[in-house]
Amino acid sequence: MSAQVEAVHTDHYTYRVSWSVEDGEFVATSLELPSLSWLASTQVKALSGLRKLVDEVVADLAASDEPVPIPLAERNYSGRFNVRISPDLHRELAIKAADHHMSLNRFVSDRLARD
């Protein structure tokens, strides 16, 4: 088994289980591998099935020397990202920031943190 698989802990991946009205079962998904899902009658079975599948897929990726996704929680983030917006929205946000005696970056950051 490749060192790449040993370095990636699939138990650190971001898993979610929700009810699928369409399927009438619980569906488990992983943000790191969005093309995978697992349906089951219970939340526990859905998560267990997906975790086994993820382990198999990650092992196959590593064996094929394909990139293995790094868990979101273990990725490095700079704290910076660029967003393209319309000039009108840019103006509106700049005015609101000035109204609150804040920089535009601080104003937008505060608004994003609320969601």
Side-chain angles (χ1 to χ4, degrees):
M1 194 175 288
S2 151
Q4 186 178 19
V5 166
E6 293 172 4
V8 172
H9 299 282
T10 60
D11 57 330
H12 294 181
Y13 279 173
T14 308
Y15 295 98
R16 292 191 176 156
V17 179
S18 58
W19 178 253
S20 171
V21 173
E22 182 179 303
D23 297 304
E25 293 185 284
F26 289 96
V27 60
T29 57
S30 172
L31 292 177
E32 289 81 359
L33 294 163
S35 64
L36 302 180
S37 65
W38 192 272
L39 291 166
S41 59
T42 69
Q43 292 173 322
V44 171
K45 289 179 182 177
L47 181 57
S48 177
L50 180 66
R51 300 259 327 249
K52 290 175 188 171
L53 178 61
V54 165
D55 287 342
E56 292 172 9
V57 168
V58 166
D60 288 346
L61 289 170
S64 303
D65 288 326
E66 294 182 53
V68 175
I70 297 170
L72 289 171
E74 296 177 3
R75 295 180 189 177
N76 294 319
Y77 296 93
S78 68
R80 293 180 52 179
F81 67 96
N82 295 316
V83 179
R84 295 192 189 280
I85 58 176
S86 71
D88 290 340
L89 179 56
H90 193 166
R91 181 182 306 103
E92 179 184 336
L93 291 170
I95 290 168
K96 286 181 180 181
D99 224 13
H100 285 85
H101 306 288
M102 302 171 85
S103 71
L104 179 58
N105 280 339
R106 179 60 187 253
F107 181 77
V108 172
S109 176
D110 285 356
R111 293 303 182 264
L112 289 172
R114 291 181 183 179
D115 288 340

